[in-house]
Amino acid sequence: MNLETVKQDITQVLVTEEQIKKRVAELAQEIGKKYAGKDLLLVGVLKGAVMFMADLSRALEIPAQMDWMAVSSYGSGTVSSGVVRILKDLDADVLGRHVLIVEDIIDSGLTLSWLASNLEARGAASVEIVTLLRKPDAAKVEVAVAWVGFDIPNEFVVGYGLDYNENYRTLTSVGILAPAVYS
Ligand code: IMP
Ligand code: MG
């Protein structure tokens, strides 16, 4: 779905479909080199990372498996609570495997730093993170992110998997949500 469809709800397009496509291809190249010859398990974080995971995995030129986790840190608001709950756990056993967490966006970084330690504690051979988007606050938390698609300003964004109250996920680009929608 195009941003034009919900134009009144979006104040600015931050990342276009074309920019995403180009960047995803670059990331897939780098990731493919890093994991060549290794047993790679992509762990997508539901539901925001669905689009990114689908495109990134298909752009990879090495074999990989896909699994999914659902965690909650936000409720339905727009500010991170820091409380992480597992809503859906992995089907796969990560013991001895190279895990790449695929995330839509890092804001406070609380969700990811918790998730990375959780997967490390299960005995993964390695745990790395790739995120499509990163907000400035992420720098404050000690979470090592191997790959970042785009650094964006501290705004609430939607589209390409990212939602507000489950809406806007199907947009093909990423835009800033008009504050009027959530205030
Ligand atoms: P963190 O724990 O603050 O890093 O929050 C990360 C999670 O919050 C992401 O996986 C998203 O689901 C959600 N999130 C953070 N910022 C945004 C945003 O701007 N738009 C939509 N979801 C967001
Ligand atoms: Mg969300």
Side-chain angles (χ1 to χ4, degrees):
M1 187 174 70
N2 198 278
L3 276 180
E4 287 294 307
T5 320
V6 289
K7 209 174 175 184
Q8 67 278 13
D9 294 350
I10 305 296
T11 56
Q12 191 196 330
V13 179
L14 269 190
V15 193
T16 66
E17 192 174 348
E18 291 69 30
Q19 287 171 322
I20 293 171
K21 204 171 176 187
K22 182 165 173 281
R23 189 71 186 116
V24 166
E26 289 169 0
L27 292 170
Q29 280 301 314
E30 292 177 26
I31 291 165
K33 273 185 206 143
K34 162 97 181 196
Y35 291 100
K38 289 184 179 155
D39 173 28
L40 175 60
L41 177 66
L42 301 170
V43 171
V45 185
L46 293 170
K47 304 172 201 167
V50 164
M51 307 298 183
F52 183 38
M53 177 88 147
D55 288 342
L56 182 71
S57 60
R58 286 178 295 177
L60 281 178
E61 289 169 6
I62 58 164
Q65 291 187 356
M66 297 166 105
D67 204 347
W68 302 91
M69 270 183 94
V71 295
S72 118
S73 68
Y74 259 43
S76 61
T78 59
V79 179
S80 194
S81 65
V83 180
V84 180
R85 275 191 308 145
I86 295 185
L87 305 177
K88 185 224 170 282
D89 206 344
L90 295 175
D91 294 327
D93 186 352
V94 302
L95 186 69
R97 308 196 62 186
H98 294 280
V99 174
L100 178 59
I101 300 173
V102 181
E103 179 59 304
D104 54 354
I105 187 166
I106 306 182
D107 182 4
S108 72
L110 292 168
T111 310
L112 268 187
S113 74
W114 181 89
L115 196 55
S117 345
N118 182 282
L119 297 182
E120 271 160 18
R122 300 185 198 188
S126 68
V127 178
E128 300 285 357
I129 295 164
V130 56
T131 184
L132 179 71
L133 306 169
R134 180 172 64 182
K135 289 189 189 177
D137 281 351
K140 293 182 200 157
V141 177
E142 275 186 40
V143 50
V145 184
W147 296 279
V148 176
F150 303 91
D151 278 300
I152 63 165
N154 202 9
E155 304 276 1
F156 194 83
V157 295
V158 293
Y160 195 69
L162 290 124
D163 75 306
Y164 173 69
N165 276 351
E166 299 299 327
N167 292 314
Y168 311 105
R169 290 194 199 275
T170 60
L171 296 172
T172 54
S173 46
V174 174
I176 298 176
L177 187 63
V181 175
Y182 54 83
S183 55

